[in-house]
Short mmCIF file of all heavy atoms in Angstrom, two decimals:
data_model
loop_
_atom_site.label_atom_id
_atom_site.label_comp_id
_atom_site.label_asym_id
_atom_site.label_seq_id
_atom_site.Cartn_x
_atom_site.Cartn_y
_atom_site.Cartn_z
N GLN A 506 50.00 15.24 24.27
CA GLN A 506 50.37 15.15 22.85
C GLN A 506 49.86 13.82 22.27
O GLN A 506 50.63 12.98 21.79
CB GLN A 506 51.89 15.26 22.68
CG GLN A 506 52.45 16.63 22.96
CD GLN A 506 51.97 17.66 21.94
OE1 GLN A 506 52.05 17.44 20.74
NE2 GLN A 506 51.45 18.78 22.43
N PRO A 507 48.54 13.58 22.34
CA PRO A 507 48.00 12.26 21.99
C PRO A 507 48.17 11.94 20.51
O PRO A 507 48.19 12.82 19.66
CB PRO A 507 46.53 12.36 22.38
CG PRO A 507 46.22 13.81 22.24
CD PRO A 507 47.46 14.54 22.67
N GLN A 508 48.30 10.67 20.23
CA GLN A 508 48.32 10.16 18.86
C GLN A 508 46.96 9.56 18.47
O GLN A 508 46.73 9.32 17.29
CB GLN A 508 49.41 9.09 18.72
CG GLN A 508 50.81 9.61 18.97
CD GLN A 508 51.80 8.47 19.02
OE1 GLN A 508 51.86 7.75 20.01
NE2 GLN A 508 52.57 8.30 17.97
N LEU A 509 46.12 9.34 19.47
CA LEU A 509 44.82 8.72 19.21
C LEU A 509 43.82 9.19 20.26
O LEU A 509 44.17 9.35 21.43
CB LEU A 509 44.96 7.19 19.26
CG LEU A 509 43.70 6.37 18.98
CD1 LEU A 509 43.28 6.51 17.53
CD2 LEU A 509 43.92 4.89 19.32
N LEU A 510 42.57 9.40 19.82
CA LEU A 510 41.49 9.81 20.72
C LEU A 510 40.48 8.67 20.83
O LEU A 510 40.10 8.06 19.82
CB LEU A 510 40.78 11.06 20.20
CG LEU A 510 41.63 12.30 19.92
CD1 LEU A 510 40.77 13.41 19.34
CD2 LEU A 510 42.31 12.76 21.20
N ILE A 511 40.04 8.41 22.06
CA ILE A 511 38.95 7.47 22.31
C ILE A 511 37.93 8.19 23.18
O ILE A 511 38.27 8.70 24.25
CB ILE A 511 39.42 6.18 23.02
CG1 ILE A 511 40.46 5.45 22.16
CG2 ILE A 511 38.24 5.27 23.31
CD1 ILE A 511 40.99 4.17 22.81
N SER A 512 36.68 8.25 22.70
CA SER A 512 35.66 8.97 23.45
C SER A 512 34.36 8.18 23.49
O SER A 512 33.99 7.51 22.51
CB SER A 512 35.39 10.34 22.81
OG SER A 512 34.33 11.01 23.46
N ASP A 513 33.70 8.26 24.64
CA ASP A 513 32.34 7.75 24.74
C ASP A 513 31.41 8.73 24.03
O ASP A 513 31.66 9.94 24.00
CB ASP A 513 31.94 7.59 26.21
CG ASP A 513 30.58 6.96 26.37
OD1 ASP A 513 30.24 6.09 25.56
OD2 ASP A 513 29.83 7.35 27.28
N TYR A 514 30.32 8.22 23.44
CA TYR A 514 29.41 9.12 22.71
C TYR A 514 28.55 9.94 23.66
O TYR A 514 28.41 11.15 23.51
CB TYR A 514 28.52 8.31 21.77
CG TYR A 514 27.52 9.17 21.02
CD1 TYR A 514 27.96 10.10 20.09
CD2 TYR A 514 26.15 9.04 21.25
CE1 TYR A 514 27.06 10.90 19.41
CE2 TYR A 514 25.25 9.84 20.57
CZ TYR A 514 25.71 10.76 19.66
OH TYR A 514 24.81 11.55 18.99
N ARG A 515 27.98 9.30 24.67
CA ARG A 515 27.10 10.01 25.61
C ARG A 515 27.92 10.49 26.80
O ARG A 515 28.12 9.76 27.76
CB ARG A 515 25.96 9.10 26.08
CG ARG A 515 24.95 8.78 25.00
CD ARG A 515 23.84 7.90 25.56
NE ARG A 515 22.85 7.58 24.56
CZ ARG A 515 21.75 8.28 24.33
NH1 ARG A 515 21.51 9.36 25.06
NH2 ARG A 515 20.88 7.92 23.41
N LEU A 516 28.39 11.71 26.71
CA LEU A 516 29.13 12.32 27.81
C LEU A 516 28.17 13.11 28.69
O LEU A 516 27.07 13.48 28.26
CB LEU A 516 30.22 13.25 27.26
CG LEU A 516 31.30 12.57 26.40
CD1 LEU A 516 32.22 13.61 25.80
CD2 LEU A 516 32.08 11.56 27.23
N ALA A 517 28.58 13.37 29.91
CA ALA A 517 27.70 14.10 30.83
C ALA A 517 27.52 15.54 30.41
O ALA A 517 26.53 16.19 30.77
CB ALA A 517 28.28 14.04 32.25
N ALA A 518 28.45 16.08 29.63
CA ALA A 518 28.36 17.47 29.18
C ALA A 518 27.29 17.62 28.12
O ALA A 518 26.69 16.64 27.65
CB ALA A 518 29.71 17.93 28.65
N VAL A 519 27.06 18.87 27.72
CA VAL A 519 26.04 19.16 26.71
C VAL A 519 26.45 18.57 25.37
O VAL A 519 25.63 18.02 24.63
CB VAL A 519 25.81 20.68 26.61
CG1 VAL A 519 24.83 20.99 25.49
CG2 VAL A 519 25.33 21.22 27.94
N GLU A 520 27.74 18.69 25.02
CA GLU A 520 28.22 18.19 23.74
C GLU A 520 28.42 16.68 23.80
O GLU A 520 28.82 16.13 24.82
CB GLU A 520 29.54 18.88 23.37
CG GLU A 520 29.38 20.38 23.08
CD GLU A 520 30.68 21.00 22.61
OE1 GLU A 520 31.73 20.44 22.94
OE2 GLU A 520 30.61 22.04 21.94
N ASP A 521 28.14 16.00 22.67
CA ASP A 521 28.35 14.56 22.63
C ASP A 521 29.81 14.25 22.30
O ASP A 521 30.63 15.14 22.05
CB ASP A 521 27.40 13.90 21.62
CG ASP A 521 27.56 14.48 20.22
OD1 ASP A 521 28.70 14.73 19.80
OD2 ASP A 521 26.53 14.68 19.54
N GLY A 522 30.13 12.95 22.27
CA GLY A 522 31.50 12.55 22.06
C GLY A 522 32.06 12.94 20.70
O GLY A 522 33.25 13.24 20.57
N LEU A 523 31.21 12.94 19.66
CA LEU A 523 31.68 13.29 18.33
C LEU A 523 32.08 14.76 18.27
O LEU A 523 33.12 15.11 17.69
CB LEU A 523 30.59 12.98 17.31
CG LEU A 523 31.01 12.87 15.85
CD1 LEU A 523 32.11 11.84 15.69
CD2 LEU A 523 29.81 12.52 14.98
N ARG A 524 31.28 15.62 18.89
CA ARG A 524 31.65 17.05 18.93
C ARG A 524 32.88 17.26 19.82
O ARG A 524 33.71 18.14 19.54
CB ARG A 524 30.47 17.87 19.44
CG ARG A 524 29.28 17.90 18.49
CD ARG A 524 28.27 18.95 18.91
NE ARG A 524 27.14 18.99 18.01
CZ ARG A 524 26.00 18.32 18.19
NH1 ARG A 524 25.87 17.56 19.26
NH2 ARG A 524 25.02 18.41 17.32
N ALA A 525 33.00 16.48 20.88
CA ALA A 525 34.18 16.58 21.74
C ALA A 525 35.45 16.23 20.97
O ALA A 525 36.49 16.87 21.12
CB ALA A 525 34.03 15.68 22.96
N ILE A 526 35.36 15.21 20.11
CA ILE A 526 36.51 14.84 19.29
C ILE A 526 36.88 15.98 18.35
O ILE A 526 38.07 16.31 18.16
CB ILE A 526 36.21 13.55 18.50
CG1 ILE A 526 36.16 12.34 19.45
CG2 ILE A 526 37.23 13.31 17.40
CD1 ILE A 526 35.70 11.06 18.79
N GLU A 527 35.89 16.63 17.76
CA GLU A 527 36.16 17.76 16.88
C GLU A 527 36.83 18.90 17.63
O GLU A 527 37.76 19.54 17.12
CB GLU A 527 34.85 18.23 16.23
CG GLU A 527 34.23 17.21 15.29
CD GLU A 527 32.87 17.66 14.78
OE1 GLU A 527 32.41 18.75 15.21
OE2 GLU A 527 32.27 16.94 13.96
N ARG A 528 36.37 19.17 18.86
CA ARG A 528 36.96 20.24 19.66
C ARG A 528 38.43 19.93 19.99
O ARG A 528 39.30 20.82 19.94
CB ARG A 528 36.16 20.43 20.95
CG ARG A 528 34.76 21.01 20.75
CD ARG A 528 34.81 22.52 20.61
NE ARG A 528 35.46 23.15 21.74
CZ ARG A 528 34.86 23.42 22.91
NH1 ARG A 528 33.58 23.11 23.07
NH2 ARG A 528 35.51 24.03 23.89
N VAL A 529 38.71 18.68 20.36
CA VAL A 529 40.08 18.30 20.68
C VAL A 529 40.97 18.40 19.44
O VAL A 529 42.12 18.86 19.50
CB VAL A 529 40.12 16.87 21.27
CG1 VAL A 529 41.56 16.40 21.45
CG2 VAL A 529 39.39 16.84 22.61
N ARG A 530 40.45 17.98 18.29
CA ARG A 530 41.22 18.08 17.05
C ARG A 530 41.53 19.55 16.72
O ARG A 530 42.64 19.88 16.28
CB ARG A 530 40.45 17.44 15.90
CG ARG A 530 40.49 15.92 15.89
CD ARG A 530 39.54 15.36 14.85
NE ARG A 530 39.73 13.93 14.62
CZ ARG A 530 38.95 13.21 13.82
NH1 ARG A 530 37.93 13.78 13.19
NH2 ARG A 530 39.19 11.92 13.66
N GLU A 531 40.53 20.42 16.92
CA GLU A 531 40.76 21.85 16.66
C GLU A 531 41.84 22.40 17.59
O GLU A 531 42.71 23.16 17.16
CB GLU A 531 39.46 22.62 16.84
CG GLU A 531 38.42 22.33 15.77
CD GLU A 531 37.10 23.03 16.07
OE1 GLU A 531 37.04 23.74 17.10
OE2 GLU A 531 36.15 22.86 15.28
N ALA A 532 41.77 22.01 18.87
CA ALA A 532 42.77 22.50 19.82
C ALA A 532 44.16 21.94 19.51
O ALA A 532 45.17 22.62 19.70
CB ALA A 532 42.36 22.13 21.25
N ALA A 533 44.22 20.68 19.03
CA ALA A 533 45.51 20.07 18.70
C ALA A 533 46.07 20.58 17.39
O ALA A 533 47.28 20.47 17.14
CB ALA A 533 45.38 18.55 18.66
N GLY A 534 45.21 21.09 16.53
CA GLY A 534 45.67 21.61 15.24
C GLY A 534 45.95 20.55 14.21
O GLY A 534 46.65 20.81 13.23
N ARG A 535 45.42 19.33 14.38
CA ARG A 535 45.64 18.27 13.41
C ARG A 535 44.51 17.24 13.51
O ARG A 535 43.80 17.17 14.52
CB ARG A 535 46.99 17.59 13.61
CG ARG A 535 47.28 17.08 14.99
CD ARG A 535 48.77 16.82 15.17
NE ARG A 535 49.10 16.50 16.56
CZ ARG A 535 49.33 15.27 16.99
NH1 ARG A 535 49.27 14.26 16.16
NH2 ARG A 535 49.65 15.05 18.26
N MET A 536 44.37 16.47 12.44
CA MET A 536 43.32 15.47 12.35
C MET A 536 43.77 14.18 13.04
O MET A 536 44.31 13.26 12.43
CB MET A 536 42.98 15.19 10.88
CG MET A 536 41.85 14.20 10.70
SD MET A 536 40.25 14.79 11.32
CE MET A 536 39.86 16.02 10.10
N LEU A 537 43.56 14.13 14.35
CA LEU A 537 43.95 12.96 15.12
C LEU A 537 43.03 11.78 14.80
O LEU A 537 41.81 11.94 14.73
CB LEU A 537 43.87 13.26 16.62
CG LEU A 537 44.90 14.26 17.17
CD1 LEU A 537 44.51 14.68 18.57
CD2 LEU A 537 46.29 13.63 17.15
N PRO A 538 43.59 10.58 14.61
CA PRO A 538 42.72 9.39 14.49
C PRO A 538 41.86 9.25 15.75
O PRO A 538 42.32 9.53 16.87
CB PRO A 538 43.70 8.23 14.36
CG PRO A 538 44.98 8.86 13.89
CD PRO A 538 45.01 10.23 14.47
N ALA A 539 40.62 8.84 15.57
CA ALA A 539 39.69 8.83 16.71
C ALA A 539 38.80 7.61 16.66
O ALA A 539 38.47 7.08 15.60
CB ALA A 539 38.85 10.10 16.72
N LEU A 540 38.43 7.17 17.86
CA LEU A 540 37.55 6.02 18.04
C LEU A 540 36.40 6.45 18.94
O LEU A 540 36.62 6.99 20.03
CB LEU A 540 38.33 4.87 18.69
CG LEU A 540 37.62 3.54 18.87
CD1 LEU A 540 37.28 2.93 17.53
CD2 LEU A 540 38.52 2.59 19.66
N LEU A 541 35.17 6.27 18.47
CA LEU A 541 33.97 6.64 19.22
C LEU A 541 33.28 5.37 19.70
O LEU A 541 33.05 4.45 18.92
CB LEU A 541 33.02 7.47 18.35
CG LEU A 541 31.79 8.04 19.05
CD1 LEU A 541 32.19 9.11 20.06
CD2 LEU A 541 30.80 8.61 18.03
N ILE A 542 32.94 5.33 20.98
CA ILE A 542 32.29 4.16 21.59
C ILE A 542 30.88 4.55 21.97
O ILE A 542 30.66 5.55 22.66
CB ILE A 542 33.06 3.68 22.82
CG1 ILE A 542 34.51 3.37 22.45
CG2 ILE A 542 32.40 2.45 23.43
CD1 ILE A 542 35.39 3.09 23.65
N SER A 543 29.89 3.78 21.50
CA SER A 543 28.50 4.12 21.76
C SER A 543 27.69 2.85 22.01
O SER A 543 27.94 1.80 21.40
CB SER A 543 27.90 4.88 20.57
OG SER A 543 26.51 5.09 20.76
N ALA A 544 26.72 2.96 22.91
CA ALA A 544 25.83 1.83 23.19
C ALA A 544 24.77 1.67 22.11
O ALA A 544 24.26 0.59 21.89
CB ALA A 544 25.15 2.02 24.55
N ASP A 545 24.45 2.76 21.42
CA ASP A 545 23.39 2.71 20.41
C ASP A 545 24.01 3.11 19.07
O ASP A 545 24.21 4.29 18.79
CB ASP A 545 22.26 3.66 20.78
CG ASP A 545 21.10 3.58 19.80
OD1 ASP A 545 21.00 2.57 19.09
OD2 ASP A 545 20.31 4.53 19.74
N ILE A 546 24.32 2.12 18.25
CA ILE A 546 24.95 2.39 16.95
C ILE A 546 23.85 2.57 15.91
O ILE A 546 23.47 1.62 15.22
CB ILE A 546 25.92 1.25 16.55
CG1 ILE A 546 26.92 0.99 17.67
CG2 ILE A 546 26.67 1.61 15.28
CD1 ILE A 546 27.91 -0.09 17.36
N SER A 547 23.32 3.75 15.83
CA SER A 547 22.25 4.03 14.88
C SER A 547 22.84 4.39 13.52
O SER A 547 23.97 4.87 13.42
CB SER A 547 21.38 5.18 15.39
OG SER A 547 22.14 6.37 15.48
N PRO A 548 22.07 4.19 12.43
CA PRO A 548 22.57 4.60 11.10
C PRO A 548 22.88 6.09 11.02
O PRO A 548 23.81 6.49 10.32
CB PRO A 548 21.41 4.22 10.17
CG PRO A 548 20.69 3.12 10.89
CD PRO A 548 20.81 3.46 12.34
N GLU A 549 22.10 6.92 11.74
CA GLU A 549 22.38 8.36 11.73
C GLU A 549 23.75 8.66 12.32
O GLU A 549 24.50 9.49 11.79
CB GLU A 549 21.29 9.11 12.50
CG GLU A 549 19.92 9.10 11.85
CD GLU A 549 19.18 7.80 12.06
OE1 GLU A 549 19.68 6.95 12.83
OE2 GLU A 549 18.12 7.63 11.44
N LEU A 550 24.10 7.97 13.43
CA LEU A 550 25.40 8.19 14.04
C LEU A 550 26.51 7.69 13.12
O LEU A 550 27.58 8.32 13.02
CB LEU A 550 25.46 7.48 15.40
CG LEU A 550 26.77 7.65 16.20
CD1 LEU A 550 27.06 9.12 16.45
CD2 LEU A 550 26.67 6.90 17.52
#
Side-chain angles (χ1 to χ4, degrees):
Q506 290 294 310
Q508 298 171 285
L509 181 68
L510 304 177
I511 299 179
S512 175
D513 184 36
Y514 178 66
R515 291 181 180 268
L516 298 174
V519 176
E520 293 185 336
D521 57 40
L523 198 55
R524 293 192 180 94
I526 290 173
E527 295 174 358
R528 291 278 304 278
V529 173
R530 283 172 169 175
E531 291 175 1
R535 53 197 172 102
M536 182 65 72
L537 291 168
L540 184 65
L541 185 68
I542 303 171
S543 174
D545 184 20
I546 307 181
S547 64
E549 292 78 7
L550 182 57

